[in-house]
Amino acid sequence: MATRIEKDHSRFRNIIRGRIKRNLRKYITSGEMIGKKGRDLVSIPVPHINIPHFRHDPRQSGGVGQGEGDVGTPIGRGDGDEPGAAGQGEGQHILEVDITLEELAQMLADELELPNIEPKGKKSVVSEKDRYTGIAKSGPESLRHFKRTYKQALRRHLISQTYNPKDPIIVPIHEDRRYRTWKTKVEPEAAAVIMYMMDVSGSMGDEQKEIVRIESFWIDTWLRYQYKNIETRYIIHDAVAREVDQQTFYHTRESGGTVISSAYKLASQIVRDEYPVEDWNIYMFHFSDGDNWGEVDTDECVSTLKDQILPVVNMFCYGQVESPYGSGQFMHDLVDHFPEAENLILSEIADKEAIYPSIKEFLGKGK
Amino acid sequence: MDKIEQDIIAAVEEIKGYALAYGLDMFETIFEIVDYDQINAFASYGGFPTRYPHWRFGMEYDELSKSYSYGLAKIYEMVINNDPCYAYLMRSNMLTDQKLVIAHVYGHCDFFKNNMWFSKTNRKMIDDMANHAVRVQRHIEKFGEEAVEDFIDLCLSIENLIDPHSVFFEKNGSSQNGDDFDAEKQSLRFKFKADKEYMESYINPPEVVEKQQAEWRKRQEDTRKKYPLTPQRDILLFLIQHAPIEEWQRDILSIIRDEAYYFAPQGQTKIMNEGWATYWHSKIMTTRVLNDAEVIDYADHHSGTVATQPGRLNPYKIGLELFRDIEDRWNKGKFGKEFNECEDYLARKNWDKQVGLGMEKIFEVRKMYNDVMFIDAFLTIDFAREHHLFAYDYNQRSGYYEISDRDFQVVKQRLLYSLTNWGQPFIFVEDANYMNRGELYLSHRHEGVDLKVDEAQDTLANIQKIWSRPVHLETRLKEKKTLLHFDGKEHKVREIE
């Protein structure tokens, strides 16, 4: 029976993911991905497919409720469905719930089918753990499993009819002995550093920064889930780049021109000084509206990327946020210069809706 | 058998005894003890162990298991209308909860067995659901998963287009217009009786009679060209009988229809059924079962069941309170001419003739009524006031649903309206040979609320896929009579006078 529901369930999930039955896609409704901020508090996405029916327009039909309040007291927002003509079963209300970041990452992975990251370098193996997992017929006496040995001896006595309930003496012989066995599990403890770079020039508005914030939250969640030791560094730049803390990163609004190469140079400087390539998995994310200051600087960026950054990083991700002021030229330049770079990932983020596929582009390669 | 099962079996025996002593009359009830994952799976299938494969059960499961694993909701009771009834108890619930659920379930079983609106439902539905699954599976093997599932999607889009009352009538059309072809009766039509023969030509002038008869014959012929003769509400049946579809599709359509009819009475009696079950779990638990240690847990759970949220009518609560109100009124004799005509507030309030008919009355009500009749007959102005009922509407300007009225008549009308046909629109097949081109003409009986147009168009498109000729739906939008078309390629909306 379990398998039957699993089959229906996976069919449903496949529809939601858009793999099959695209005609149903327009009927899918879903909750938001991030709830009200806060580190651990999120709303769970519960996708739903509404098969169309002949039904009344909820805006016209109204209903009957129970409770206090004068005429004119609002009881529910009108943008969703009706407030519920009759309640369903007991306590069936969806709340925001506390869940851990780990669970969140797992859900993200399920949703986007992210592959686990394979950390580079074997030097980072640090811990070995022994687990007692099985039973064997031979082993050191100190690991003898008394109960199993006794049972085995008892069984032998019963079969050979030498067991006497009135005088229940059990004498184990060599073949009866059972021993615990163990396996050694090697747990790689890789370390990683994430560097976020953001263009904070005049053309990046609040909406663009909101997108960057949401996207980096999810990237952060995912990478934290993958690595035990993780460090984050933040760089903002307009015409010059500087390193800042997280708070400043998300809230500064600078103005002025855009010199992207300044950020790239600073980032590669930090890596050179503090994060030796052989010990660290390095991730860089750069968000901008793609409006760089002249071709000269773009060439500078390209050469920095080619010579200093791409050889050392696991991934360099460039996310271009669409803005009414930006030309978006930088993206095209990168495409022209690096048509085949393996660890350079580019993604255009038109609006909040596009965050979802963009995360998938960034993290979908398992690097 | 472990301790949990022993405890539950003892509780079932005990509570069954109390239920019978109170006069409940149930089908034999089989309790299955299952773990949370199984109960989610069962619940996704509407309580049935076997249903045909379809993604929407998976969707149900997705939602249930998510809300369970994040601690948002869990299923306490689930019982299916079948003889014997099957009910599920979740192993991890504590014993007090199990007892409450058992008592609640017996309330439902009694209702299933005795309420007349359930009298025509299939009591071997577990078997039939399993048969449906086999039939659908066979079609899948022959025609492919995609094709079958797509067709089921279409059918589900129109599964509400049935006529729940039709099960109480003879098959329609059998004895229709039998006398139309009786020549003697024909000749008498449009003639008055003339006592004296010589008066005949004055009372029935031949040319007038002939003219009327000719007109009538023409009308008859016109209607005979048209089918169905009268508007038909069971659109699923109509499509099964007349739509040009493959045999397997016909089979699936009739499976969907069977199941829709099976579930219909549960929609018609939601308030009563839950109210009745809640009434009995409350009665049995508080008067017989509870020991000191269990009271707090019981009270906590019970109040969760009947809790109300603003803007939401909890059927458990309303049903329970109405049954209690009826019991109280009939115990005190608060009914009949004398009581209704009494206008003295205090006298009405303290009215007590000690007639003690309450218990008898609620048993009668649970037998004869459905939600619409129940609310119509027993929702009194005193009740509405005491329970703070209100009507709400959508306010275009603020974008909120707002309380719009507390007037008793308005509230009652609104509630009745939302219960009639489960608050869904009435749609009929008017003409299946519209314009003599084999097009399907449906009509919506407008009762003050427009249809949601985008969904209506999508649904129309689904019907078109089954009917394969163009389809039309006559409705009213913003006060104007409107015709929605779909011809297989594009939608049209046209006002008609």
Side-chain angles (χ1 to χ4, degrees), chain B residues 35 96 189 207 217 325 425:
Chain B
D35 65 27
T96 316
R189 198 177 286 271
E207 63 277 11
R217 269 195 298 275
D325 189 53

Side-chain angles (χ1 to χ4, degrees), chain A residues 216-227:
Chain A
S216 2
F217 169 81
W218 286 103
I219 292 168
D220 229 66
T221 306
W222 176 246
L223 290 175
R224 269 177 207 287
Y225 173 64
Q226 292 286 332
Y227 292 101

